[in-house]
C-alpha cells in the first residue's frame, strides 16, 4: 500500500502490527512477558478488540496472570471506536476467579446527582455514596417551546451564575452533537459570555474561515453576482441588508448583473445607505483578483484576511485563540501546497478549497483557554472531567435517544449490534454527562426544532425519578421585533421591522408566488428569501440546463403538432441540440448530454407514437389573485402543457427529466420525500380555479417522465386532485404568505444541517 511504501503507519496499523509480531515471534513474546509481569490497564472500558489481544498475549504465560483491569462499565461510550462493554468484561469472563473490587464512595457529586444517574442505568451495581459534602439540590428539568427560547434561557442562567461570582471555568455546557456545540457557543459569545470550546473541528467549517472562503470565491469569479452578493453580506463590511436587497432587486428588474449596475449611473438613483462601502468592497475584490494572478495563494489569503477587516474581527472575539490557529493552519497548508505546485494561483486555490472542504483535510483539535471561560464540549469529550454547574440542552428524541440506527451499514466480520445495544450505549453516554456535575445539574429540551418541527423529550428524562427532579415549563412570549433585533447585533444602523416588512410586502406584491417559490419556502424560509424573493444569482448545474433544453424542444414539437404540422425526429433532435447549445455547458458536459437527450427524445416519441393529444396549449402562463387577509397575493404559474378533454375539462401535463419517482414519492408519502410533484399539480388546480372565471376545469394532472427508467420504460403518472387537497394547499399558501408578510420566518431555520441559505443568513450575525 501507499502507507507501507512510505514506511508510515496509522494508529490502527501500529496496534495490529504489535499483535501480528507477538503472534508470529515467540521469542519476542517471551521476552516481553518476562519484562512485564505486572500489567495495569487503566480506562479499560475504552479498549478495542486489538488492544485486548495485546493484553492477552502479554499475560498469557501464566494461567492466572497479574493483570489489573480498571474502568467503569457504566461509562463505556466509545463503541464507534471499537470499544464495547463486551471488551471490558472479556477478562472477567476469561478469569472467573479474579477478584472484583467495586468502588462505592464518590467525592465529586451530590447524592441527588448520583442517585439520578444510578436510576438511569438501573443495573446491579451498588449505589454510590456521596462524600463531597455539597449542599443538596434537586436536578432541574426545563421545558421550552422553541430552541431559540431554550438558548436565550441558557444564556440568562449562565449570566446569573456569573453574577453570583461563580468561576466561569466551573460552568459547563454539554451537547450531543458538534453542530449544537457550534450553535450554543456562538449564541453565548454573541451575548458576551466568554467560552472555551473543546472539539475536533474542520477549519473550513468555522464561520469566520467560511467568510474568508467566500472572499476567495468572489475574487476568483469577478463578474459572478452570486459570490459578490455573498461577500457583501459579511459582517466585516458595513453594508446594510436593504442596500444588498436593493442592488439585487435592481439587477433582476433590469435583467442585468449587479456588477454592471454598479458601473452604471443608475446606481445613484437607488439611494443606497452606504454606496461608498459597496464600492469599496467591489474594488477590494477586483484588486484581489488582479493580485491573485501574480502572487501565491498563501500570500493572497493572508492579505485578504487583513484588508477585509476579517482579521481584526477575529482578534476581537472571545475565542480568537482558536480562530487564529485555524487561520494559521490554512496559511500553513497553502504554503505546503505551493511547494508542490509552483504555478498555483487564485483559480487553483478556489478549486483546491472545494476538495479540502469535501474531505475535511484541515481538521484541528480545539481546546482553547480554560480559565475565565465557560466550558463547552460534546458529552463524549466530557468524560473524566468535572464541573460545579452543568447544563445539558437539547435532550430530545432523535438526538440523545431514539436516533437513526448506526447498524444500517453492516461490516462483515464484526459482531452485530442491536437496537438495544445502541440504546444502552446512548444511555451510558447520558450517564457520563450527568455525573460530571458536582453541585448543580440542569437538563433542558425544546418542543419544537429550529424549523418548527415538533419533537418529543428524550425517553431518558422519563426514566429519571420524580423525587429527585424539579420541572419547569417556560412559554415563549418573545415578539417578532425582539427576535429580529437579536439576529442583527452588528455595529451598523439597525433595520426597523417596519422597513423590512415594507420591503417584503412590496417585493411579494410585485413578484407574486409561484409553486417553485412555495416549495422553496416550505423547504427553507431562507431558500425562498434569497433564491425566490431576492433572486440572488446562482449558477445552473448541467442537469438543470439539460431539463431546460428538453422542455424547449418538446414545446416546439407539440406546438407543431397542434397545427397539424409534422416534425420529424431529426428536426426535433436538431432543435434540442440548438437549445442545449444556448446553455453555458462545457464541451465535456455537452457531448454526453446530446447523446442522452437524443436517445430519450427518440424513445419518447416511439413509445407514445399515435397517442399524443393535438388539442393542447403549451407553455401556458396563468395568473390569479388569492386573498390573504386583505393582501392581494398574485399566484403565478407556467404550465408545460394543457390537454383539452372531450368532456370540456383539461388535463395539465408537467414534464420531468432525471430519476423516476414512485407515485408515493410524488405525493410525499415515503421517507425523505417532500411531495413537491403532487403539490405542483394541486397548485395548478388552485390557479386554474381562479383564472378566467374558471374557464379551464382541471380534471387531472399528469407527471410525464421524458427519460426512460432503468428498464428502458417510459412512465406517466396521472393524479385526480380532490377538493380536500385544494383546501389543504390553500391553507398552506395562506399560512406561508402570512408568515412572509409578517416576517415570522425571520428566526426560523430549516432541518437541513448544511443548508447554504441558513448559513448565509447567520453570517450576518
Amino acid at each position: 500500500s501507499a502507507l507501507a511504501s512510505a514506511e508510515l503507519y496509522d494508529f490502527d496499523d501500529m496496534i495490529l502490527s504489535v499483535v501480528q509480531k507477538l503472534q508470529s515471534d515467540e521469542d519476542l513474546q517471551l521476552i516481553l512477558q518476562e519484562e512485564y509481569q505486572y500489567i495495569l490497564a487503566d480506562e479499560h472500558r475504552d479498549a478495542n478488540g486489538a488492544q485486548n489481544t495485546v493484553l492477552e498475549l502479554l499475560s498469557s504465560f501464566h494461567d492466572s496472570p497479574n493483570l489489573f483491569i480498571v474502568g467503569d462499565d457504566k461509562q463505556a461510550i466509545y463503541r464507534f471506536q471499537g470499544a464495547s462493554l463486551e471488551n471490558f468484561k472479556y477478562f472477567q469472563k476469561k478469569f472467573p476467579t479474579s477478584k472484583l473490587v467495586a468502588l462505592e464512595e464518590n467525592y465529586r457529586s451530590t447524592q441527588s446527582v448520583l442517585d439520578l444517574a444510578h436510576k438511569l442505568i438501573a443495573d446491579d451495581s451498588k449505589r454510590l455514596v456521596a462524600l463531597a459534602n455539597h449542599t443538596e439540590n434537586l436536578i432541574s428539568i426545563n421545558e421550552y417551546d422553541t430552541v431559540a427560547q431554550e438558548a436565550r434561557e441558557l444564556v440568562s442562567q449562565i449570566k446569573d451564575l456569573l453574577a453570583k461570582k461563580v468561576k466561569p471555568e466551573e460552568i459547563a455546557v454539554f451537547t450531543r452533537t458538534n453542530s449544537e456545540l457550534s450553535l450554543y457557543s456562538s449564541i453565548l459569545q454573541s451575548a458576551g459570555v466568554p467560552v472555551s470550546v473543546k472539539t475536533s473541528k474542520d477549519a473550513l467549517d468555522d464561520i469566520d474561515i467560511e467568510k474568508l472562503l467566500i472572499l476567495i470565491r468572489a475574487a476568483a469569479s469577478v463578474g459572478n453576482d452570486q459570490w459578490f452578493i455573498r461577500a457583501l453580506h459579511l459582517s466585516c463590511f458595513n453594508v446594510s441588508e436593504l442596500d444588498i436587497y436593493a442592488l439585487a432587486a435592481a439587477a433582476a428588474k433590469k435583467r442585468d448583473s449587479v456588477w454592471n449596475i454598479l458601473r452604471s449611473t443608475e446606481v445613484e438613483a437607488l439611494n443606497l445607505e452606504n454606496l461608498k462601502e459597496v464600492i469599496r468592497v467591489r474594488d477590494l475584490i477586483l484588486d484581489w483578483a488582479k493580485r491573485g494572478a501574480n502572487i501565491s495563494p498563501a500570500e493572497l489569503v493572508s492579505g485578504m484576511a487583513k484588508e477585509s477587516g476579517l482579521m481584526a474581527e477575529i482578534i476581537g472575539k472571545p475565542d480568537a485563540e482558536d480562530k487564529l490557529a485555524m487561520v494559521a493552519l490554512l496559511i500553513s497548508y497553502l504554503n505546503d501546497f505551493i511547494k508542490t505546485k509552483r504555478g498555483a494561483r487564485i483559480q487553483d486555490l478556489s478549486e483546491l478549497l472545494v476538495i479540502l472542504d469535501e474531505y475535511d483535510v484541515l481538521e484541528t483539535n480545539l481546546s482553547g483557554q480554560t480559565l475565565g471561560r465557560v466550558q463547552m464540549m460534546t458529552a463524549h469529550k466530557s468524560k473524566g472531567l468535572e464541573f460545579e454547574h452543568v447544563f445539558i440542552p437539547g435532550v430530545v428524541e432523535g438526538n440523545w435517544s431514539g436516533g437513526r440506527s448506526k447498524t444500517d451499514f453492516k461490516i462483515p466480520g464484526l459482531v452485530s449490534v442491536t437496537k438495544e445495544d445502541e440504546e444502552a450505549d446512548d444511555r451510558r453516554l447520558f450517564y457520563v454527562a450527568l455525573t460530571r456535575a458536582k453541585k448543580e445539574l440542569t437538563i433542558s429540551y425544546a418542543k419544537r426544532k429550529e424549523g418548527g418541527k415538533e419533537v418529543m423529550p428524550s425517553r431518558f428524562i422519563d426514566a429519571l425519578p420524580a423525587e429527585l427532579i424539579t420541572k419547569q415549563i417556560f412559554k415563549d412570549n418573545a415578539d417578532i421585533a425582539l427576535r429580529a433585533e437579536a439576529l442583527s447585533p452588528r455595529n451598523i444602523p439597525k433595520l426597523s421591522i417596519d422597513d423590512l416588512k415594507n420591503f417584503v410586502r412590496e417585493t411579494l406584491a410585485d413578484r407574486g408566488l409561484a409553486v417553485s417559490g412555495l416549495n422553496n419556502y416550505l423547504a427553507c424560509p431562507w431558500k425562498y428569501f434569497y433564491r425566490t424573493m431576492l433572486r440572488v444569482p446562482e449558477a445552473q448545474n448541467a442537469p438543470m440546463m439539460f431539463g431546460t433544453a428538453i422542455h424547449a424542444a418538446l414545446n416546439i414539437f407539440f406546438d407543431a403538432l397542434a397545427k397539424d404540422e409534422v416534425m420529424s425526429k431529426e428536426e426535433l433532435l436538431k432543435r434540442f441540440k440548438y437549445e442545449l447549445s444556448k446553455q453555458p455547458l462545457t464541451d465535456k458536459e455537452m457531448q454526453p448530454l446530446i447523446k442522452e437527450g437524443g436517445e430519450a427524445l427518440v424513445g419518447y416519441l416511439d413509445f407514445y407514437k399515435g397517442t399524443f393529444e393535438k388539442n393542447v396549449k403549451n407553455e401556458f402562463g396563468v395568473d390569479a389573485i388569492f386573498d390573504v387577509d386583505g393582501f392581494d397575493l398574485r399566484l403565478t404559474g407556467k404550465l408545460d402543457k394543457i390537454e383539452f378533454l372531450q368532456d370540456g375539462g383539461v388535463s395539465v401535463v408537467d414534464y420531468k427529466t432525471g430519476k423516476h419517482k414512485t407515485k408515493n414519492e410524488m405525493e410525499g408519502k415515503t421517507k425523505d420525500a417532500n411531495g413537491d410533484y403532487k403539490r405542483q399539480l394541486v397548485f395548478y388546480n388552485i390557479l386554474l380555479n381562479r383564472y378566467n372565471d374558471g374557464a379551464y376545469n382541471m380534471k387531472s394532472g399528469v407527471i410525464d417522465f421524458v427519460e426512460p427508467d432503468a428498464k428502458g420504460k417510459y412512465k406517466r403518472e396521472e393524479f385526480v386532485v380532490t377538493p380536500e387537497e385544494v383546501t389543504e394547499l390553500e391553507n398552506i399558501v395562506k399560512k406561508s404568505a402570512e408568515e412572509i408578510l409578517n416576517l415570522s420566518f425571520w428566526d426560523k431555520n430549516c432541518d437541513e444541517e448544511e443548508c447554504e441559505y441558513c448559513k448565509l443568513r447567520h453570517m450576518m450575525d
Side-chain angles (χ1 to χ4, degrees):
S1 70
L3 280 174
S5 300
E7 297 183 345
L8 298 173
Y9 290 88
D10 65 19
F11 184 70
D12 290 336
D13 288 337
M14 294 171 70
I15 298 174
L16 291 173
S17 294
V18 171
V19 171
Q20 292 166 359
K21 187 64 175 176
L22 286 173
Q23 290 174 332
S24 62
D25 191 333
E26 186 177 355
D27 289 340
L28 175 62
Q29 186 179 4
L30 288 171
I31 291 170
L32 293 176
Q33 286 173 344
E34 176 67 24
E35 184 174 355
Y36 300 106
Q37 297 187 29
Y38 294 86
I39 299 173
L40 167 65
D42 197 11
E43 302 284 346
H44 185 263
R45 59 181 172 271
D46 300 333
N48 59 36
Q51 291 167 322
N52 262 5
T53 302
V54 171
L55 288 174
E56 189 171 4
L57 289 168
L58 288 176
S59 61
S60 62
F61 184 81
H62 299 286
D63 293 334
S64 182
N66 296 312
L67 188 58
F68 189 9
I69 302 294
V70 180
D72 182 355
D73 57 358
K74 295 185 288 299
Q75 297 187 48
I77 60 174
Y78 285 108
R79 188 186 296 274
F80 65 90
Q81 291 184 354
S84 68
L85 203 56
E86 293 75 20
N87 289 339
F88 179 58
K89 294 185 175 181
Y90 174 79
F91 288 106
Q92 189 177 359
K93 292 179 181 178
K94 183 173 179 64
F95 303 108
T97 60
S98 60
K99 184 177 181 180
L100 178 65
V101 180
L103 301 182
E104 301 171 16
E105 297 173 341
N106 181 285
Y107 291 86
R108 172 190 296 155
S109 304
T110 63
Q111 192 64 55
S112 297
V113 169
L114 296 176
D115 289 347
L116 187 86
H118 182 79
K119 290 286 187 180
L120 175 73
I121 294 296
D123 62 7
D124 296 329
S125 62
K126 290 186 177 181
R127 172 175 173 268
L128 290 173
V129 177
L131 297 179
N133 294 322
H134 297 315
T135 301
E136 288 293 333
N137 294 290
L138 293 177
I139 284 72
S140 297
I141 307 288
N142 294 337
E143 177 187 291
Y144 301 102
D145 284 337
T146 65
V147 173
Q149 181 196 16
E150 184 178 19
R152 289 197 303 270
E153 291 299 326
L154 175 65
V155 170
S156 177
Q157 291 163 25
I158 289 177
K159 282 189 169 182
D160 285 345
L161 289 175
L162 295 175
K164 294 174 183 176
K165 304 303 181 184
V166 173
K167 294 179 179 179
E169 62 268 24
E170 284 294 345
I171 304 171
V173 179
F174 302 150
T175 64
R176 182 67 177 85
T177 64
N178 278 310
S179 59
E180 290 175 286
L181 190 62
S182 177
L183 169 69
Y184 286 110
S185 63
S186 296
I187 290 170
L188 283 165
Q189 288 171 8
S190 296
V193 177
V195 300
S196 175
V197 183
K198 184 177 183 180
T199 182
S200 295
K201 184 175 182 179
D202 181 2
L204 298 187
D205 286 339
D206 178 77
I207 187 69
D208 289 301
I209 302 299
E210 285 187 17
K211 292 177 183 179
L212 188 54
L213 302 187
I214 287 176
L215 295 179
I216 293 169
R217 295 295 295 271
S221 52
V222 168
N224 183 318
D225 281 1
Q226 177 184 359
W227 291 104
F228 179 62
I229 287 176
R230 290 183 180 213
L232 289 177
H233 274 82
L234 301 184
S235 55
C236 56
F237 301 129
N238 192 32
V239 181
S240 72
E241 290 104 318
L242 282 183
D243 279 358
I244 301 170
Y245 304 161
L247 278 170
K253 187 174 182 179
K254 288 287 184 181
R255 297 181 180 273
D256 206 343
S257 71
V258 170
W259 282 93
N260 285 338
I261 292 291
L262 286 174
R263 284 204 300 257
S264 72
T265 57
E266 295 174 6
V267 71
E268 299 290 343
L270 295 177
N271 294 319
L272 299 185
E273 185 177 312
N274 199 342
L275 176 59
K276 185 177 180 180
E277 178 72 352
V278 174
I279 298 298
R280 186 180 78 88
V281 176
R282 181 201 66 183
D283 291 343
L284 276 173
I285 291 172
L286 288 171
D287 183 54
W288 293 331
K290 183 178 180 180
R291 281 193 284 153
N294 298 286
I295 63 176
S296 75
E299 184 180 353
L300 176 67
V301 170
S302 179
M304 282 180 163
K306 295 173 184 175
E307 295 155 18
S308 64
L310 185 57
M311 185 64 76
E313 192 174 89
I314 288 173
I315 292 171
K317 293 192 173 183
D319 57 345
E321 183 181 354
D322 285 337
K323 289 184 178 291
L324 289 173
M326 285 186 280
V327 174
L329 178 65
L330 176 61
I331 299 298
S332 174
Y333 187 90
L334 294 177
N335 278 326
D336 291 338
F337 172 66
I338 202 68
K339 294 174 185 175
T340 61
K341 192 170 184 178
R342 298 289 179 185
R345 293 296 181 261
I346 190 168
Q347 293 296 337
D348 305 280
L349 172 58
S350 184
E351 295 166 6
L352 171 69
L353 291 173
V354 172
I355 297 172
L356 294 182
D357 194 23
E358 180 179 356
Y359 293 100
D360 295 338
V361 172
L362 295 182
E363 184 170 277
T364 182
N365 289 318
L366 303 177
S367 56
Q369 179 182 333
T370 299
L371 293 179
R373 298 174 184 241
V374 173
Q375 303 301 294
M376 306 193 70
M377 63 201 74
T378 62
H380 279 100
K381 295 282 186 180
S382 73
K383 193 169 71 69
L385 304 177
E386 57 185 44
F387 307 91
E388 290 183 0
H389 304 271
V390 168
F391 294 85
I392 311 176
V395 186
V396 296
E397 282 293 291
N399 192 25
W400 281 89
S401 54
R404 178 180 173 140
S405 174
K406 298 176 278 292
T407 62
D408 292 344
F409 180 70
K410 306 293 184 183
I411 301 177
L414 290 187
V415 177
S416 177
V417 180
T418 66
K419 290 274 191 180
E420 290 74 19
D421 291 334
E422 290 179 346
E423 181 172 331
D425 289 345
D426 290 337
R427 193 176 290 267
R428 285 192 293 273
L429 179 61
F430 195 48
Y431 173 92
V432 168
L434 299 179
T435 52
R436 301 309 93 198
K438 294 194 286 186
K439 294 181 178 179
E440 291 186 346
L441 173 62
T442 301
I443 301 165
S444 65
Y445 62 91
K447 294 190 295 182
R448 292 196 304 276
K449 297 172 71 173
E450 287 184 281
K453 183 179 180 181
E454 291 190 1
V455 288
M456 297 292 291
S458 167
R459 65 193 68 177
F460 298 156
I461 290 179
D462 292 335
L464 303 179
E467 66 273 12
L468 295 176
I469 66 175
T470 175
K471 183 173 181 179
Q472 286 185 282
I473 298 176
F474 295 83
K475 294 298 181 183
D476 192 357
N477 298 315
D479 60 36
I480 179 65
L482 289 174
R483 291 198 294 268
E485 180 70 12
L487 286 170
S488 303
R490 299 168 60 195
N491 294 322
I492 59 175
K494 296 292 190 295
L495 296 175
S496 72
I497 293 300
D498 287 338
D499 284 340
L500 288 167
K501 284 184 177 179
N502 288 337
F503 175 83
V504 169
R505 179 174 289 267
E506 290 172 7
T507 306
L508 187 59
D510 180 54
R511 301 269 172 80
L513 182 67
V515 69
S516 58
L518 177 63
N519 285 337
N520 284 343
Y521 183 81
L522 296 176
C524 172
W526 293 106
K527 181 178 183 180
Y528 166 79
F529 191 71
Y530 286 108
R531 175 182 277 187
T532 306
M533 180 163 279
L534 292 184
R535 295 180 183 172
V536 173
E538 292 183 340
Q540 284 193 320
N541 56 33
M544 292 170 66
M545 290 184 273
F546 174 76
T548 298
I550 288 284
H551 277 66
L554 287 175
N555 177 42
I556 293 166
F557 175 84
F558 285 112
D559 273 347
L561 189 64
K563 299 174 185 176
D564 280 328
E565 298 173 359
V566 178
M567 176 179 268
S568 67
K569 294 176 185 176
E570 290 74 18
E571 289 175 311
L572 177 62
L573 293 183
K574 184 178 180 181
R575 187 69 199 204
F576 167 68
K577 290 180 183 177
Y578 170 72
E579 294 295 336
L580 202 60
S581 71
K582 290 160 61 177
Q583 305 299 321
L585 292 160
T586 65
D587 288 338
K588 186 177 181 181
E589 293 170 328
M590 179 75 75
Q591 295 310 312
L593 290 183
I594 289 175
K595 182 175 185 295
E596 179 185 344
E599 292 175 353
L601 288 171
V602 169
Y604 181 82
L605 296 187
D606 288 340
F607 190 84
Y608 293 112
K609 185 177 181 180
T611 66
F612 292 126
E613 177 61 54
K614 294 183 178 180
N615 189 9
V616 300
K617 280 190 176 182
N618 299 298
E619 294 288 325
F620 184 51
V622 183
D623 280 4
I625 298 300
F626 186 88
D627 178 65
V628 181
D629 295 331
F631 178 83
D632 287 339
L633 175 65
R634 186 167 58 90
L635 302 183
T636 69
K638 182 171 282 189
L639 286 54
D640 288 346
K641 182 170 67 173
I642 286 182
E643 296 179 343
F644 292 90
L645 307 176
Q646 295 290 334
D647 61 1
V650 299
S651 179
V652 176
V653 179
D654 192 80
Y655 308 127
K656 299 295 181 187
T657 53
K659 184 180 178 182
H660 285 209
K661 292 180 183 288
T662 66
K663 190 166 186 176
N664 282 336
E665 285 177 313
M666 292 184 230
E667 293 185 300
K669 294 180 179 179
T670 60
K671 185 178 180 182
D672 298 329
N674 54 30
D676 281 1
Y677 283 10
K678 179 64 178 292
R679 188 182 300 115
Q680 183 176 359
L681 296 179
V682 180
F683 189 91
Y684 290 160
N685 191 294
I686 294 173
L687 268 175
L688 292 175
N689 286 342
R690 288 168 165 75
Y691 179 72
N692 197 15
D693 295 325
Y696 297 88
N697 181 18
M698 181 175 168
K699 294 295 185 72
S700 64
V702 176
I703 299 297
D704 191 1
F705 290 94
V706 183
E707 294 186 274
D709 62 15
K711 297 180 181 178
K713 301 291 184 182
Y714 288 81
K715 175 183 176 183
R716 287 174 176 169
E717 199 68 64
E718 184 172 1
F719 297 87
V720 176
V721 178
T722 67
E724 292 77 16
E725 289 172 330
V726 170
T727 299
E728 181 183 4
L729 187 57
E730 284 176 339
N731 291 333
I732 291 173
V733 169
K734 183 176 181 180
K735 181 176 182 293
S736 299
E738 287 173 344
E739 290 176 355
I740 293 167
L741 291 168
N742 295 322
L743 295 185
S744 300
F745 66 90
W746 207 254
D747 64 340
K748 286 186 178 181
N749 287 317
C750 66
D751 289 334
E752 185 180 337
E753 285 190 9
E754 295 300 318
C755 176
E756 63 178 294
Y757 303 99
C758 292
K759 281 185 177 180
L760 180 57
R761 174 63 188 94
H762 290 298
M763 279 187 178
M764 297 294 292
D765 294 350

